[in-house]
Amino acid sequence: MEKFIINGGIPLHGTVAVGGAKNVALKTFVAALLTDEPVVIHNVPLIRDVTYMMDVLRSLGATIEISDHTVRIQNSTSVTTTVPLEVGARLRTSSMVIGPLLARYGEANIPNPGGCRIGARPIDRHIEGLKEMGAEIIYNHDDGYFHATSSGLHGTTYRFPKNTHTGTETLLLAAVLAQGETILENAAEEIEIDDLIKLLQSMGADIARISARTIKIHGVKKLHGTEFTIMPDRNVEVTFALAAAITAGKITVQNSQRHNIRSFLSALGSAGGVTGEVDEHTTTYSGNGNYKLTSIVTAPDPGFMTDWQAPWAVFMTQASGRSAIHETVFESRFSYVSELKKMGAEIEFFDPPVEDPEAFYNFNWNDHPDGYHQGIKILGPTILHNAILEIDDLRAGATLVLAALAAKGESYVHGVEILDRGYENFEKSLKNLGANIERVKEEV
Ligand code: EPU
């Protein structure tokens, strides 16, 4: 167990290079199961979720070599089709191997997936789609496993009832080797999915996004090995952009994905944050500490992403007035609120008026716990003070670090290993920007 000790109140200045996107890297590993030839992935972020995903592949028999940020995956000739519980339950993407295993070996046994605790996070939409492709899938409550078999997946037209990022990818990863044509309607638009599509195309898959939310896949008999470089992580870029604004500093981001975070840039501009375009892949972010309240409603891509709302809340503690955040994608993504309140933030929950919650929210309304709220109101500006903080979700973790960087005094942030799931060398990057942050082992 480790914690950060942060002495805040220092404006951050300097340059940071953003690494490969977590939410692409994890899926490229799953794609490697679609061929017996080596798949070489470059720009892989060295984060804990990547390590967990490597464990999933190794548990199925694959051989993995890693050198710097390049990973070479060689699928086994004698694959196991069961993901062990202790390996699979650690992250949600472990469930995605169901597609390649079914398509190639006709069988898959996967534990109910884990991941950050930001809601019930069922995979009903993935399972329904796979069933439409001819899979038989039973969930066994006794062992907590999905047991799936197929005597050959076939193409289908499947309409997702609601947006699902990994659900869209799961069906893609099955359809590429299914017999015939699959059309995915109401498919998710997250740009990370398009990077996965590029990888699959480089392996010989026949896929086209024929409209914003429709993807057509023509199944092929065989896919081959490839070499592929993952796109930069836009969620990490947003974190650093907000670090600059919150501390009233100036940060230059290399490997910038500016064109893929337009909804964020628009909100940042409205609030008084400043964005500068250095060149196509370099962006500066700065602010003078005088910010206007800017309310947001999260939405699937191309909207204001749910992954950005927690750090946005810290930013709004520094803005004048009462701003609101309405979370519509996950039903439980405000775990950081109690921690920010410890630092003096003035935040209250509220119930945004919604006529038909099942139709409006991205999660299944049945999963919404009684008494839970989908909105917060933040009154600012507040001079945050130091506190002892506990991380319990990846993005919330980065949020608490940002809050501690903005606060006066020495804060302790516990649960750093959750942050390590998605940010490579976070504290080193922050130190390079002038932050006073130390990682120390917890005394037992
Ligand atoms: N949902 C269902 N049933 C399903 C699928 C989804 O009820 O079958 C619900 C989810 O519980 C959630 C909503 O629908 O409330 C949206 O879920 P989605 O499937 O789109 O999200 P995800 O695939 O679980 C991915 C990213 C998240 C990111 C979201 C939104 C990965 C590994 N995770 O999650 O990233 O927030 O899409 O873009 O790709 C993160 O990086 O910290 C993170 C949580």
Side-chain angles (χ1 to χ4, degrees), residues 22-23 26-27 92-93 116 118-127 163-167 169 188 190 235 300-301 305-307 329-331 333 362-364 367 393-395:
K22 165 180 87 78
N23 289 344
L26 303 175
K27 295 49 171 303
R92 182 167 175 81
T93 32
C116 277
I118 50 182
R121 306 193 82 184
I123 53 169
D124 50 314
R125 301 171 203 160
H126 313 208
I127 298 296
N163 196 75
T164 167
H165 176 167
T166 46
E169 293 168 332
E190 273 86 353
N235 292 330
D301 224 358
M305 306 269 299
T306 169
D307 304 292
V329 178
F330 289 101
E331 73 277 21
R333 220 170 184 183
N362 198 168
F363 54 84
N364 303 332
D367 293 329
D393 146 48
L394 174 59
R395 304 299 164 199

Side-chain angles (χ1 to χ4, degrees), residues 382-404:
T382 303
I383 298 173
L384 298 175
H385 58 73
N386 60 327
I388 295 177
L389 306 164
E390 191 71 50
I391 294 177
D392 77 343
D393 146 48
L394 174 59
R395 304 299 164 199
T399 298
L400 298 182
V401 171
L402 295 192

Side-chain angles (χ1 to χ4, degrees), residues 73-101:
I73 305 165
Q74 172 79 64
N75 196 11
S76 167
T77 43
S78 54
V79 169
T80 321
T81 51
T82 299
V83 177
L85 179 64
E86 67 278 14
V87 179
R90 293 196 294 210
L91 83 172
R92 182 167 175 81
T93 32
S94 65
S95 70
M96 299 175 76
V97 301
I98 193 171
L101 292 180

Side-chain angles (χ1 to χ4, degrees), residues 339-355:
E339 303 303 289
L340 291 186
K341 281 181 159 182
K342 288 183 193 165
M343 307 178 84
E346 289 195 48
I347 306 181
E348 58 183 39
F349 287 103
F350 78 111
D351 296 313
V354 169
E355 219 166 84

